[in-house]
Amino acid sequence: MAAPGAAGSPQPGRCAYFVERKRRFCKMVPARGRRFCGEHGAHAEEENSRKRIPCPLDPKHTVYEDQLQKHLKKCNSREQPKPVSLLQNQIPISTLSKEQLEDLIRKLRRASNSINYVLKDEILSHQALNEALNDPKNGVAAIKHLKQQASILGHMERLHLLGSGKCFVEFGAGRGKLSHWVDIALHNAQDIHFLLVERATTRFKVDGKHRKNCFERLQVDIQHLGLNKVPVLAKRKLPVIGIGKHVCGAATDLALRCLVETYAKPFDKKEGPAPKRLKTDEGNATPNNSGETLNTSVTDNWRPVAGIVIALCCHHRCDWKHYVGQEFFATVGLGAVEFNYFKRMTSWATCGMKDTSKKSCETDTKNEDQNDEEEEHAQDVGSLECSLDNLQGLLTTEERKQIGQLCKLLIDYGRLEYLQQRGYEAVLQRYTDHSVSLENVLLTAVPCQSPLATS
């Protein structure tokens, strides 16, 4: 609707459309000489008889009716074509012969036996979330997320990664809840900075609750992110803590490469092509006077990446091209073909939980925020390849579950070895109960020469 007089006037240079639902004027910038932005321009174009209609691909935005066909060809909501290589890798497991499937499982067991790695339960918590965990207003879904965040912070505290003089980089930040709780835990800390990395625009962000001068969003795909090009890090050379809650599939591998292969050597003169320009929310920064954990002078012993704490997720979305454990797979006689089968077989580990998880997502509708947080996990469960088709009657449900868990462990162990070979003390552990999250494995790492690695 047009601007009501009682509500004041729009900001100079901003759209004059009053958004009734938000009780404020639209903040978009209209074209030169226009009063309204493109979305609300129908009011200014009535004299030209141009009509705006909801986009058939996504009714949340509108388009001029006479430009519909042109818009449909470039709309961000259109179905994107899948790469040919991806289509080639999606041969159904059910098409394998009995002998081929047995050979694949035999290779999996042989590789798993060679690593002989056992996950331990390390479920921790942190006092910063005690009040929220005991708040009766929070529903089941919200409590589950809070328990995960509390355990992640507990692991960070145990590794002495919570303190002054650091930059926390949250990969796949979404609404930024994990960084929010780290900020709460560090309310007395000085000289800290947060970089929230997310390639998509995000609704219901909690950015408004943050300390304005130390939070910055980077809207960029992780594979295009060079941390040593981010102004605050290039200038101040803060020790970085890489964090993430449910960093899906290939995003975990891209995050590890980003930390270990770019920012870990910020003073290397050999530089590749510059990463894509970042969309940032500018933040004011204060000089680093701390050096609490690491000496920020440029010495042979200084490691720019002080720690990594990432909750793993969605192994079926991994990609051999970006997978950091390729070298490990080669040492156990495996390659891209086996990897592409194993990543899809990881869904067998949680197939039995599919209906239960969906029911939980559908029944817990206490508020919009909770539904948004649960949406990520609901999509993950819904996308699992749980349709087992015809497996020749070869495997029982329990055997499929065990094989799925072995596939997940094998993929994660490749990431573990990748970090170990690059000078990090890395550990995999179950950081929350399976009833809280089907994806309950946490990867942590600190530099080996650091005394924190043995604490």
Side-chain angles (χ1 to χ4, degrees), residues 353-371:
M353 309 296 177
K354 181 178 179 182
D355 294 337
T356 301
S357 181
K358 276 190 173 181
K359 182 178 179 181
S360 174
C361 295
E362 291 169 358
T363 57
D364 187 14
T365 57
K366 189 168 182 64
N367 59 53
E368 189 173 24
D369 288 358
Q370 288 178 205
N371 293 338

Side-chain angles (χ1 to χ4, degrees), residues 69-298:
Q69 295 306 315
K70 180 180 179 181
H71 171 78
L72 292 177
K73 293 178 181 179
K74 63 180 181 180
C75 179
N76 290 334
S77 298
R78 72 189 188 281
E79 184 177 357
Q80 301 292 335
K82 295 182 179 180
V84 176
S85 60
L86 180 61
L87 295 175
Q88 291 175 340
N89 292 330
Q90 290 185 345
I91 301 174
I93 296 175
S94 59
T95 63
L96 296 176
S97 67
K98 180 178 180 180
E99 291 72 22
Q100 289 174 317
L101 184 58
E102 288 178 333
D103 182 59
L104 193 62
I105 294 173
R106 190 159 44 246
K107 289 181 179 180
L108 171 66
R109 295 192 186 280
R110 183 168 59 244
S112 300
N113 290 335
S114 69
I115 65 175
N116 192 30
Y117 194 88
V118 179
L119 291 174
K120 296 182 179 179
D121 292 323
E122 295 289 348
I123 302 174
L124 305 179
S125 190
H126 194 280
Q127 60 183 5
L129 289 93
N130 286 347
E131 183 177 349
L133 285 167
N134 294 310
D135 188 346
K137 295 181 181 179
N138 287 320
V140 176
I143 292 296
K144 286 183 177 181
H145 285 281
L146 289 168
K147 286 182 177 180
Q148 294 171 64
Q149 290 153 348
S151 185
I152 291 173
L153 261 67
H155 281 274
M156 293 176 68
E157 184 175 54
R158 189 172 69 169
L159 294 171
H160 306 285
L161 298 179
L162 295 177
S164 301
K166 299 181 179 68
C167 179
F168 297 88
V169 181
E170 183 179 357
F171 294 94
R175 298 174 57 204
K177 272 296 188 72
L178 182 56
S179 290
H180 168 72
W181 288 114
V182 173
D183 185 37
I184 295 297
L186 294 173
H187 64 282
N188 290 325
Q190 300 296 318
D191 192 23
I192 61 173
H193 198 86
F194 290 88
L195 295 176
L196 279 63
V197 182
E198 178 60 64
R199 67 180 180 181
T201 55
T202 307
R203 302 172 64 205
F204 308 117
K205 296 188 290 289
V206 294
D207 297 19
K209 301 178 181 179
H210 298 158
R211 286 181 277 187
K212 300 293 185 182
N213 64 336
C214 66
F215 273 81
E216 183 178 0
R217 276 191 175 265
L218 305 180
Q219 188 177 337
V220 61
D221 193 303
I222 299 173
Q223 65 180 314
H224 300 138
L225 173 63
L227 288 175
N228 53 350
K229 303 294 184 181
V230 178
V232 67
L233 294 178
K235 181 179 180 180
R236 299 168 60 193
K237 297 180 177 59
L238 293 171
V240 160
I241 312 295
I243 62 176
K245 175 177 173 286
H246 293 311
V247 184
C248 292
T252 290
D253 300 294
L254 292 171
L256 295 179
R257 289 190 188 279
C258 177
L259 291 165
V260 175
E261 297 180 16
T262 60
Y263 191 62
K265 299 179 180 179
F267 310 108
D268 191 342
K269 295 181 181 180
K270 297 180 180 179
E271 296 184 354
K276 291 185 178 180
R277 190 176 72 173
L278 311 180
K279 295 181 181 179
T280 66
D281 295 330
E282 293 291 335
N284 298 321
T286 55
N288 182 10
N289 299 317
S290 178
E292 174 182 314
T293 302
L294 297 175
N295 183 357
T296 55
S297 61
V298 182

Side-chain angles (χ1 to χ4, degrees), residues 331-350:
T331 61
V332 292
L334 302 173
V337 174
E338 290 82 8
F339 177 86
N340 285 315
Y341 280 121
F342 291 164
K343 75 173 187 179
R344 285 149 56 204
M345 290 162 65
T346 59
S347 65
W348 294 359
T350 52

Side-chain angles (χ1 to χ4, degrees), residues 45 50 64 67 71 94 105 108 328 368 388 400 415:
E45 297 291 343
R50 296 187 71 192
Y64 284 116
Q67 293 184 341
H71 171 78
S94 59
I105 294 173
L108 171 66
F328 160 69
E368 189 173 24
L388 303 176
R400 289 195 295 267
R415 293 161 168 167

